[in-house]
């Protein structure tokens, strides 16, 4: 199909894409704890970045992009530098000492019922956390004499649980009591993306529970020590967080 468009009509058609581009740039800056004032140079690479509308949108919202005839070579130069660094015996002997760290691509969390009885995802490990990493959360039974707690694991940056984000689950048996029973959950994510999910019933008389009651923060070191010393009756599940979404 051949059809002629004037530049105004074309720019109006691509406006949603331009807005999405700027939104993604701002999202990356926010996750890196940076502002546009912290950026010394903006480099645009790729065919569509040669469009005037793209360059003007970046100029208005971030900074005037760097323009050069050989700008596309930057990708190849970066790949060459990275290859040289990876082949170096150590970071000190690398041609250009750039240290690259693996981070989580998505947030990982557990489905929890809030005080308003709303089912939401609580993130134990947030997106862009450097690997390996850990995270923990405390929860409670919902009903008197509840015998077990079912905890679903989600891979999502949102707090709304969807079936396509479900990675697995763990069912923990707890002591049936009239009062709420506290349950602690621990995520340990290794460099390969394998998640070890540990959970246990936690006594309200424990130092860990008392500290959490005062600070609302779980002492990860104390929790790991309790697990190592077998002070908790742990239930574990291993989940591959790299699996493709359904």
């Amino acid at each position: 199909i051949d059809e002629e468009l004037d530049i105004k009509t074309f720019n109006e058609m691509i406006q949603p894409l331009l807005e999405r581009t700027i939104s993604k740039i701002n999202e990356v800056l926010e996750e890196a704890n940076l502002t546009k004032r912290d950026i010394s140079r903006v480099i645009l690479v790729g065919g569509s970045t040669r469009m005037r509308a793209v360059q003007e949108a970046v100029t208005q919202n971030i900074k005037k992009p760097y323009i050069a005839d050989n700008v596309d070579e930057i990708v190849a130069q970066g790949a060459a530098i990275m290859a040289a660094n990876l082949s170096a015996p150590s970071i000190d002997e690398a041609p250009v000492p750039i240290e690259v760290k693996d981070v989580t691509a998505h947030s990982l969390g557990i489905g929890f019922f809030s005080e308003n009885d709303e089912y939401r995802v609580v993130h134990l490990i947030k997106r862009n956390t450097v690997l390996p990493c850990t995270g923990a959360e405390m929860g409670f039974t919902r009903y008197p004499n509840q015998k077990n707690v079912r905890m679903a694991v989600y891979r999502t940056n949102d707090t709304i649980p969807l079936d396509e984000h479900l990675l697995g689950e763990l069912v923990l048996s707890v002591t049936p009591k009239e009062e709420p029973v506290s349950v602690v959950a621990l995520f340990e994510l290794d460099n390969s993306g394998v998640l070890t999910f540990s959970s246990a019933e936690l006594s309200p008389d424990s130092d860990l529970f008392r500290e959490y009651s005062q600070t609302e923060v779980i002492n990860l070191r104390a929790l790991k020590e309790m697990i190592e010393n077998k002070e908790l009756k742990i239930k574990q599940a291993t989940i591959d967080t790299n699996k493709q979404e359904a």
Side-chain angles (χ1 to χ4, degrees):
I1 299 175
D2 291 332
E3 186 172 346
E4 291 187 6
L5 295 174
D6 58 54
I7 190 65
K8 181 181 179 181
T9 302
F10 178 72
N11 288 344
E12 289 175 351
M13 292 175 63
I14 66 170
Q15 185 60 33
L17 296 176
L18 296 175
E19 294 174 355
R20 183 181 177 189
T21 298
I22 299 304
S23 176
K24 286 297 180 183
I25 293 175
N26 289 329
E27 182 180 317
V28 169
L29 289 174
E30 182 179 352
E31 291 177 353
N33 293 319
L34 297 173
T35 69
K36 59 185 180 182
R37 297 183 181 86
D38 299 315
I39 305 302
S40 59
R41 177 177 289 185
V42 175
I43 300 173
L44 301 180
V45 178
S48 61
T49 63
R50 291 184 171 84
M51 293 163 47
R52 182 180 297 177
V54 174
Q55 297 177 7
E56 289 177 350
V58 173
T59 299
Q60 292 172 6
N61 293 277
I62 310 297
K63 179 173 289 188
K64 185 175 181 180
Y66 172 74
I67 305 297
D69 293 336
N70 63 339
V71 69
D72 288 336
E73 296 178 8
I74 291 173
V75 177
Q77 291 174 0
I81 291 172
M82 192 65 209
N85 282 359
L86 292 174
S87 63
S90 67
I91 188 66
D92 295 330
E93 299 179 59
V96 181
I98 300 174
E99 186 176 2
V100 178
K101 296 181 179 179
D102 291 328
V103 299
T104 55
H106 304 275
S107 298
L108 298 171
I110 299 174
F112 273 84
F113 282 95
S114 67
E115 295 179 356
N116 299 325
D117 212 33
E118 293 181 333
Y119 189 60
R120 290 290 183 264
V121 177
V122 175
H123 297 128
L124 278 68
I125 294 177
K126 293 186 177 181
R127 179 183 178 185
N128 284 333
T129 302
V130 177
L131 296 173
C133 55
T134 59
E137 187 56 74
M138 187 90 68
F140 300 87
T141 51
R142 299 177 64 206
Y143 310 109
N145 299 311
Q146 188 171 327
K147 296 181 179 180
N148 56 63
V149 177
R150 185 181 300 273
M151 291 167 279
V153 178
Y154 293 91
R155 179 183 59 191
T156 177
N157 301 320
D158 203 346
T159 59
I160 300 175
L162 299 176
D163 289 343
E164 57 261 38
H165 298 152
L166 181 65
L167 293 178
E169 66 176 24
L170 184 150
V171 179
L172 176 71
S173 298
V174 295
T175 305
K177 294 181 180 180
E178 286 293 325
E179 64 274 13
V181 176
S182 56
V183 173
V184 64
L186 173 67
F187 276 10
E188 296 175 286
L189 187 64
D190 66 15
N191 286 308
S192 61
V194 175
L195 175 70
T196 301
F197 176 16
S198 306
S199 184
E201 180 179 334
L202 187 64
S203 170
D205 297 325
S206 66
D207 291 337
L208 183 65
F209 182 86
R210 283 194 289 265
E211 182 178 347
Y212 176 80
S213 299
Q214 296 174 356
T215 65
E216 295 187 353
V217 176
I218 295 178
N219 187 327
L220 287 172
R221 178 179 296 181
L223 174 57
K224 290 181 180 179
E225 287 180 354
M226 292 180 71
I227 294 175
E228 292 174 359
N229 296 333
K230 301 186 186 306
E231 297 177 40
L232 297 174
K233 189 176 181 181
I234 289 291
K235 179 79 175 287
Q236 278 190 341
T238 302
I239 300 172
D240 184 2
T241 66
N242 299 306
K243 73 177 185 179
Q244 297 297 316
E245 294 183 0

